[in-house]
Amino acid sequence: MEYILYITRFLYRIRWWLIIGTILITSATWWLGKQMIGRTYHTEATLYTGVASGYSMEGGGSKVDWATAQNAMDNLMNIIKSESTLKRVSMRLYARSLINGDPHKDNEYIKASNYNRIYNHLSQSPNGKEILALIDKSSEDKTVENFYKYLKPTQSNYLYGIFYYNLHHYCYNELKNIQAARKGASDLIEISYEADDPGIAYNTIDILTKEFVNEYRALRYAETDKVIEYFNSELKRIGKELRINEDSLTKYNVDKRIINYYDETKEIAAINKEFELREQNAYIEVNSAKAMLSELETHMNSNAKQVLNNIQFLNKLNEASSLTGKISEMETVSGGESPKQKEILKGYKDSLAIARKELSNLSDKYVEHRYTKEGVSKNNIIEQWLEQTLKLEKAKSDLQIIQESQRALDERYKFYAPVGSTIKRKERNINFIEQNYLSVLKSYNDALMRRKNLEMTSATLKVLNTPAYPISPMPTQLRKIVMATCAGTFLFILGFFLILELLDRTLRDAIRTRRLVDLPLLGAFPKNSILEYHGQVEKAQNIATKQLSSSILQFCNEKKEGLPYIINFISTEGNEGKSKLIEQLKVYWSSIGLKVRTVIGGKDFTPSSREFYLAKSITDFYIPEEEDILLVEYPNLREINIAPELLQEANLNIVVSRADRGWKETDKLLVEKLQKQVVQTPLYVYLTYAARNVVEDFTGMLPPYSIWRKMVYRLSQLALTESVSTLFKRKEQAKDVTNEDDD
């Protein structure tokens, strides 16, 4: 309970610091806030992107890739806040402000004050006239184009400094405060901006929504256009190479007279096989004809054999052999398929028939007998011999032709072998180039589809909610700042004094005095403060004097023999108010008929004398008379040492200390020594120069006795539920007491 009361007193004591400090700092914060935190205007726009739910030519399905969609949305928001985009916004916004600004009145583009600020800043710059000449009042685009031509990344370039220095509304540090956020998981991006100029806020967002789309298209199209350009050049290069190789293959086929290599080689292989069979058959026919001729010649007589030696017969035989060879050649090689060849072949066969008939006639002239001894017809033998001879010639001719064709076929093999490998190599190279061409063509088509998809994506970038021109300013945070400052100031002052209270060793009040001095407290005497006591200081001192008198008199119940009641006033330092207390008590006690005498050190006795240091009783430097009470004022304990006998001889020892000074370690040591000296004699501490609430703990409520003062006193004493009627009763009682005091 004592600590609750202490906390209440603590809060009451610092009340003016809390109230005045909080009011002053809060007022200063409010004033500074009004000066520094101006009106701000908020505007916002909503963009529809179509990234997550829009149609895509590359998707291949209706399933949404949320990671890709989120990445795309992040890219869009980063492009919105990118330095290049904001730089374009800055240049166009600056051009629009200079073109449409009015130095005399505000308009929907810029306030007059802001226009005058930027115009004066520009005109007073070293290159101001050059830049002002770039402004084309009839065309914003032309002005921006002129600005970009003039813009150079140098420190002295004014337009470069607009964005990279701190020109209000146009610099990068302010434009990057533009907020861009995705609305949930939708395709919408919300862009917002705040500025102290409604026209600047509106036009900033208006320009940004357009420049962002252009920047996005430029970035995405530049990416795909380079890819398309690369694949297009590759297609041309590979296509040209493919045509060159194909033309080379065609020329090679023409030069080598090849129509279809694979079919021709198959045909040659078939012909080769056929020739092998025909050669074998030709060998068989030759051998068969030779054997038959040999057999026939054994049956021929000498006369018949002469036929074989006849020149005419031989000539005809050679003619028949030649015709047989030609017929065999035509039938074997050419086949006689054309009409002309058939006609020639027919002529050869007719000539052969004539030759054979003539041979038969010649052979009949030389035959003597028609039959041999074996009964075989000689005419038949000659016919057979002629026939076999022609067969032999035909077989030899066929064999020769087949062998020559075989040799020619071997040459064809030698021709086609390198041709085949060359054709295969060329075809393989053409096939490789063709596959490469098709691969590049597919990539080219994919790039075209990608670009078309980007065109569709860019087409879906639309401003769903256009920025609205802000008419009324936003509610500022000034109220919250002031409230936070008020609370912070209150807590700071409270914390400061709380720390000060914990560390401070000033006596101040009864609770701290008991804790620091470790002596019982006898009372407190008010300080001379007209403000605190409202001109009632003397009355308050009289009341405190009465309280002190009552407290002292309770110890005046037993006199020592030959001595009055002795009250010692002691202090550890000078100027503690001992003389004031003694004077007040002497006047009061004298007024009520008590005989009082004072003994003051340095006046009635010498503290540094031999008699004082060796004194064993007060009578050694004082002669008792008929007084009732003796008030002894000793010098402070830092200067003298009081004999224990003098302390023990007194009825009461009072340590007087100022309430407004700190209790030091030396004071503590002196009081501890004093406690040992007094032994059983009462030793109390008394505060002087105390505050009203400290004195009231001992005297009760001090004047003036107004209703407000009574309520404050009631709260300070934690009389929270005390009846209100007691306030008026106490007022009447207080008046009676005051009148008695006056009497």
Side-chain angles (χ1 to χ4, degrees), residues 162-177:
I162 285 175
F163 184 69
Y164 288 102
Y165 291 154
N166 291 320
L167 184 62
H168 188 42
H169 296 145
Y170 307 96
C171 64
Y172 177 63
N173 289 332
E174 290 199 20
L175 290 176
K176 68 181 180 181
N177 292 326

Side-chain angles (χ1 to χ4, degrees), residues 104-138:
H104 304 295
K105 63 179 180 178
D106 300 343
N107 57 27
E108 65 272 17
Y109 296 99
I110 188 172
K111 286 183 176 180
S113 58
N114 288 325
Y115 174 76
N116 290 325
R117 175 179 56 83
I118 63 172
Y119 183 84
N120 294 333
H121 190 274
L122 174 60
S123 60
Q124 294 171 8
S125 65
N127 306 109
K129 293 183 179 179
E130 298 178 14
I131 300 173
L132 288 173
L134 300 175
I135 300 174
D136 187 349
K137 292 283 187 178
S138 62

Side-chain angles (χ1 to χ4, degrees), residues 683-695:
L683 178 63
Y684 281 78
V685 65
Y686 189 83
L687 295 177
T688 57
Y689 299 95
R692 176 196 292 272
N693 61 324
V694 178
V695 178

Side-chain angles (χ1 to χ4, degrees), residues 179 201 272 303 409 424 486 658:
Q179 300 297 321
N272 182 50
N303 191 21
L409 195 62
K424 284 184 178 179
C486 179
R658 293 176 66 105

Side-chain angles (χ1 to χ4, degrees), residues 270-537:
I271 293 171
N272 182 50
K273 185 176 181 181
E274 182 182 354
F275 280 175
E276 288 178 355
L277 293 175
R278 292 176 66 179
E279 184 181 15
Q280 185 178 1
N281 293 333
Y283 273 115
I284 293 172
E285 289 180 359
V286 169
N287 292 330
S288 175
K290 284 183 178 180
M292 184 62 72
L293 286 174
S294 179
E295 181 65 27
L296 290 173
E297 286 176 357
T298 57
H299 294 287
M300 295 175 65
N301 57 14
S302 59
N303 191 21
K305 291 181 180 180
Q306 289 178 0
V307 177
L308 302 178
N309 296 322
N310 186 279
I311 295 174
Q312 187 180 5
F313 181 82
L314 290 175
N315 289 334
K316 287 293 180 183
L317 183 61
N318 289 333
E319 183 183 354
S321 298
S322 177
L323 290 171
T324 302
K326 291 180 179 180
I327 293 170
S328 177
E329 183 179 359
M330 291 189 70
E331 290 179 347
T332 303
V333 178
S334 62
E337 295 178 355
S338 65
K340 186 175 180 181
Q341 288 177 343
K342 289 181 180 180
E343 186 178 352
I344 294 172
L345 182 61
K346 185 177 181 300
Y348 286 159
K349 288 183 178 181
D350 292 341
S351 299
L352 178 61
I354 295 169
R356 289 185 66 178
K357 186 176 181 181
E358 290 177 355
L359 284 173
S360 177
N361 293 331
L362 287 173
S363 63
D364 289 342
K365 292 179 181 180
Y366 291 92
V367 177
E368 295 179 353
H369 306 286
R370 296 187 63 85
Y371 297 96
T372 63
K373 62 181 179 179
E374 289 84 3
V376 179
S377 175
K378 292 182 179 180
N379 289 334
N380 191 22
I381 291 173
I382 293 299
E383 289 292 333
Q384 291 182 6
W385 181 86
L386 286 174
E387 184 178 355
Q388 292 300 322
T389 300
L390 292 175
K391 280 186 178 182
L392 177 61
E393 291 301 325
K394 183 179 183 302
K396 288 180 179 179
S397 178
D398 289 345
L399 181 60
Q400 184 181 0
I401 292 170
I402 290 172
Q403 288 176 346
E404 289 177 359
S405 299
Q406 195 78 6
R407 285 191 294 272
L409 195 62
D410 291 340
E411 292 299 324
R412 297 293 291 174
Y413 269 107
K414 292 179 182 179
F415 171 77
Y416 273 105
V419 169
S421 61
T422 303
I423 289 175
K424 284 184 178 179
R425 185 170 62 252
K426 287 181 175 292
E427 288 179 344
R428 185 168 56 251
N429 190 30
I430 291 172
N431 184 58
F432 172 76
I433 296 173
E434 183 179 5
Q435 293 298 323
N436 193 14
Y437 182 84
L438 293 175
S439 176
V440 174
L441 180 61
K442 183 180 182 305
S443 300
Y444 178 71
N445 290 331
D446 291 342
L448 289 176
M449 185 175 292
R450 175 67 174 168
R451 192 180 193 283
K452 182 58 67 176
N453 189 64
L454 290 177
E455 290 178 0
M456 294 175 61
T457 304
S458 300
T460 58
L461 284 175
K462 295 181 180 178
V463 181
L464 188 63
N465 294 328
T466 58
Y469 186 86
I471 298 176
S472 59
M474 289 184 62
T476 63
Q477 301 293 324
L478 181 59
R479 180 175 299 177
K480 293 182 180 179
I481 293 173
V482 171
M483 292 176 65
T485 303
C486 179
T489 304
F490 181 86
L491 293 176
F492 174 77
I493 295 174
L494 182 63
F496 174 78
F497 280 102
L498 182 60
I499 294 173
L500 194 65
E501 186 74 14
L502 295 175
L503 300 178
D504 188 23
R505 291 178 63 86
T506 304
L507 296 179
R508 190 178 302 120
D509 52 42
I511 297 175
R512 293 173 63 85
T513 302
R514 294 191 191 99
R515 177 170 58 85
L516 293 173
V517 181
D518 196 21
L519 288 177
L521 191 61
L522 193 64
F525 196 79
K527 60 184 176 180
N528 295 326
S529 175
I530 299 176
L531 294 177
E532 187 173 1
Y533 293 98
H534 304 286
Q536 305 289 334
V537 177

Side-chain angles (χ1 to χ4, degrees), residues 172-272:
Y172 177 63
N173 289 332
E174 290 199 20
L175 290 176
K176 68 181 180 181
N177 292 326
I178 295 173
Q179 300 297 321
R182 184 182 183 184
K183 299 187 73 173
S186 66
D187 289 326
L188 302 179
I189 294 179
E190 188 174 76
I191 306 174
S192 60
Y193 184 57
E194 294 180 6
D196 57 4
D197 189 323
I200 293 293
Y202 169 76
N203 285 283
T204 300
I205 297 299
D206 180 62
I207 294 172
L208 177 62
T209 54
K210 298 173 183 176
E211 291 293 338
F212 155 67
V213 175
N214 295 333
E215 187 77 7
Y216 177 75
R217 288 176 178 171
L219 288 173
R220 302 308 299 272
Y221 287 177
E223 174 187 343
T224 55
D225 287 346
K226 289 182 180 179
V227 174
I228 291 172
E229 182 180 354
Y230 167 75
F231 284 129
N232 192 21
S233 62
E234 283 295 296
L235 278 176
K236 292 179 180 178
R237 182 185 65 81
I238 298 172
K240 182 179 179 182
E241 185 178 355
L242 181 61
R243 285 191 299 274
I244 291 173
N245 282 272
E246 288 176 343
D247 293 342
S248 175
L249 178 60
T250 302
K251 185 176 182 302
Y252 185 79
N253 288 331
V254 171
D255 293 341
K256 298 299 182 180
R257 298 177 62 82
I258 297 171
I259 298 175
N260 192 321
Y261 170 77
Y262 299 102
D263 292 341
E264 290 181 6
T265 51
K266 288 180 182 179
E267 186 68 24
I268 291 171
I271 293 171
N272 182 50

